[in-house]
Amino acid sequence: DTAVSQTPKYLVTQMGNDKSIKCEQNLGHDTMYWYKQDSKKFLKIMFSYNNKELIINETVPNRFSPKSPDKAHLNLHINSLELGDSAVYFCASSPPTSGRFSSTDTQYFGPGTRLTVL
Amino acid sequence: GIQVEQSPPDLILQEGANSTLRCNFSDSVNNLQWFHQNPWGQLINLFYIPSGTKQNGRLSATTVATERYSLLYISSSQTTDSGVYFCAVGWNTGNQFYFGTGTSLTVIP
């Protein structure tokens, strides 16, 4: 059984388009995240989301918006795509610690979505 | 933010050899994790080790938080160990979680 799944696995689109990446976890975790990995393999956290509390990395453009319909899903919507948005996007989830979420709890990653903006 | 540096950046090993990967970080943290990204891109959590030593099979890790570094030991390396090893550090609150630049390991048969 897949613990953290993402769709699509590959996404090729034109500049200016709007696209979404879906993430689902079946681990019963309370906290979910989105990460961006650039072409040099550098990983950077974009968002963490726990029980309707969203923490945004201030360096992320507001064209990126996470949406969580329920605890098991955290989707990433991107407006007006730019060339620099090309990257691999990873979703992750983690269990709660003492009732509070923490971005440093043990994290389980999805397989990634490779986004290419032409 | 915190600077996280890993060394060496690249490492090539013969199968069966041992290796030590290092992670230095620029500020006090109370959480640290090691990850392995395999050649297919999958990220796997290896250790959650804010301090002390842990072992899991051929892998072990030691973090000396007061001196701001962590070490990952790989013994009797296998070709399946190939990939990129990341160290990530942060605190127990908020959204601050910083990845290092990674060590790319290639194990040749």
Side-chain angles (χ1 to χ4, degrees):
Chain A
D1 287 344
T2 303
V4 182
S5 60
Q6 294 179 228
T7 54
K9 192 170 175 58
Y10 300 96
L11 184 54
V12 181
T13 187
Q14 297 287 333
M15 237 176 13
N17 285 348
D18 302 338
K19 290 293 179 185
S20 292
I21 304 172
K22 295 185 177 180
C23 177
E24 177 181 2
Q25 54 96 2
N26 62 8
L27 297 167
H29 290 167
D30 284 348
T31 307
M32 297 182 72
Y33 315 84
W34 277 105
Y35 288 87
K36 179 181 180 181
Q37 187 173 40
D38 63 23
S39 57
K40 296 183 180 179
K41 299 261 185 193
F42 185 68
L43 271 157
K44 189 170 184 179
I45 192 168
M46 301 174 70
F47 306 101
S48 62
Y49 199 94
N50 175 271
N51 288 331
K52 301 183 182 179
E53 182 180 2
L54 174 65
I55 305 252
I56 299 173
N57 185 318
E58 294 179 357
T59 66
V60 177
N62 57 15
R63 298 182 294 103
F64 290 79
S65 56
K67 303 223 185 293
S68 180
D70 55 58
K71 198 172 80 167
H73 296 84
L74 182 64
N75 304 323
L76 182 64
H77 190 73
I78 315 169
N79 289 328
S80 303
L81 278 156
E82 300 177 357
L83 293 175
D85 297 333
S86 295
V88 180
Y89 292 84
F90 286 96
C91 175
S93 71
S94 66
T97 299
S98 302
R100 294 187 61 191
F101 81 92
S102 164
S103 61
T104 53
D105 291 335
T106 302
Q107 298 189 23
Y108 299 82
F109 280 77
T113 295
R114 182 174 293 278
L115 171 64
T116 302
V117 182
L118 304 175
Chain B
I2 300 176
Q3 303 303 310
V4 186
E5 295 180 355
Q6 293 184 241
S7 60
D10 299 282
L11 186 58
I12 299 176
L13 294 176
Q14 198 77 41
E15 200 168 25
N18 303 327
S19 62
T20 301
L21 282 57
R22 187 177 179 102
C23 171
N24 292 333
F25 41 97
S26 63
D27 202 350
S28 297
V29 297
N30 56 17
N31 278 295
L32 185 146
Q33 296 183 42
W34 282 97
F35 294 88
H36 174 222
Q37 187 169 35
N38 66 24
W40 298 272
Q42 180 67 46
L43 275 158
I44 304 294
N45 186 289
L46 298 175
F47 293 102
Y48 176 74
I49 183 165
S51 63
T53 298
K54 287 186 179 179
Q55 179 153 9
N56 184 2
R58 297 181 295 103
L59 302 181
S60 64
T62 295
T63 297
V64 183
T66 53
E67 297 187 23
R68 302 181 186 173
Y69 73 89
S70 182
L71 302 173
L72 178 69
Y73 305 96
I74 304 174
S75 63
S76 305
S77 58
Q78 300 176 358
T79 55
T80 52
D81 295 332
S82 296
V84 182
Y85 289 80
F86 290 101
C87 161
V89 303
W91 297 284
N92 274 331
T93 58
N95 201 37
Q96 303 307 313
F97 195 50
Y98 301 93
F99 276 78
T101 49
T103 292
S104 179
L105 173 65
T106 303
V107 180
I108 54 178

